[in-house]
Amino acid sequence: MDNLYFNLQPEILENEITKLIPLQEKHFEALFEAASDPLIWEQNPVKDRYQRQGFKTFFEIIITKHSFLILDKQTNEIMGTTSFYDYNPEKSNIGIGYTFITRKYWGGPYNKSNKKLLIDYAFQHVDSVLFHVGAENFRSQKAVLKLGAEKINDVVFQINGVDVPYFEYELKKQ
């Protein structure tokens, strides 16, 4: 395992279904258009991300993380975004999150595909991956369980000055 240099934002990760490229400022408008569906955010603790100001706040956070634009490999259509965050070399873990996918891509192989790209890449450098999911975000909870992650903790994050309950899931390297 190469822990000496873990590039948290490689130039491209891709498989037959999805392609992940580093998120850049120039992607804001197209990503906002993809995110402007209120149903994407209905179970998210921050429900206003479909509005320009709410999405701008979200984008300003994710652009500072190690974020990726998720593209449909066949069409290059924007599917959403996802990120690496909170890399902890001492505990040999990293978070994957700040993810959303447009409704067109719900229910198929797409979420699993993009998460597999990140997980496989991360497991070259760490022993476990963490996911933090809002306590009321049932869709995302089911999705991380389908990946094989296990709930390990209840945590509270402060969002806009409000304590918000989250669940922490862990996927261990096999």
Side-chain angles (χ1 to χ4, degrees):
M1 204 163 25
D2 174 20
N3 286 325
L4 297 177
Y5 182 69
F6 183 5
N7 177 4
L8 297 175
Q9 200 173 32
E11 200 58 37
I12 189 167
L13 295 171
E14 63 184 328
N15 57 28
E16 63 284 348
I17 297 172
T18 54
K19 178 169 51 174
L20 306 179
I21 62 171
L23 183 66
Q24 299 175 16
E25 293 278 351
K26 69 181 182 181
H27 297 132
F28 176 84
E29 286 300 329
L31 192 58
F32 170 63
E33 185 178 326
S36 62
D37 176 350
L39 292 178
I40 292 172
W41 307 101
E42 73 176 343
Q43 293 184 15
N44 191 285
V46 185
K47 297 180 185 346
D48 71 346
R49 290 180 177 164
Y50 70 95
Q51 298 171 336
R52 181 171 285 279
Q53 188 55 49
F55 187 77
K56 184 174 183 285
T57 301
F58 175 68
F59 191 85
E60 288 169 357
I61 294 167
I62 63 173
I63 201 72
T64 68
K65 306 294 181 189
H66 307 282
S67 298
F68 298 89
L69 197 63
I70 306 169
L71 301 172
D72 180 318
K73 174 79 179 271
Q74 305 308 312
T75 65
N76 265 349
E77 183 177 345
I78 292 175
M79 294 170 45
T81 187
T82 192
S83 305
F84 282 129
Y85 65 95
D86 292 349
Y87 172 47
N88 187 328
E90 291 79 27
K91 292 184 178 179
S92 191
N93 67 28
I94 193 163
I96 294 177
Y98 295 93
T99 303
F100 83 86
I101 296 177
T102 60
R103 281 196 295 152
K104 175 180 178 178
Y105 293 99
W106 287 3
Y110 305 101
N111 183 58
K112 186 173 184 177
S113 173
N114 79 70
K115 289 294 192 299
K116 183 171 175 20
L117 286 169
L118 292 174
I119 290 164
D120 289 350
Y121 179 74
F123 280 161
Q124 296 173 38
H125 306 279
V126 297
D127 293 326
S128 71
V129 170
L130 301 175
F131 302 92
H132 298 99
V133 181
E136 296 180 8
N137 192 338
F138 306 113
R139 271 193 308 271
S140 293
Q141 290 170 31
K142 287 179 186 175
V144 297
L145 289 171
K146 283 182 185 177
L147 295 172
E150 295 181 10
K151 183 180 170 197
I152 60 167
N153 208 355
D154 291 1
V155 294
V156 174
F157 291 113
Q158 203 170 69
I159 301 175
N160 300 327
V162 177
D163 287 347
V164 180
Y166 273 73
F167 298 144
E168 182 176 54
Y169 295 83
E170 181 179 40
L171 180 62
K172 292 184 180 179
K173 185 176 178 179
Q174 299 294 319

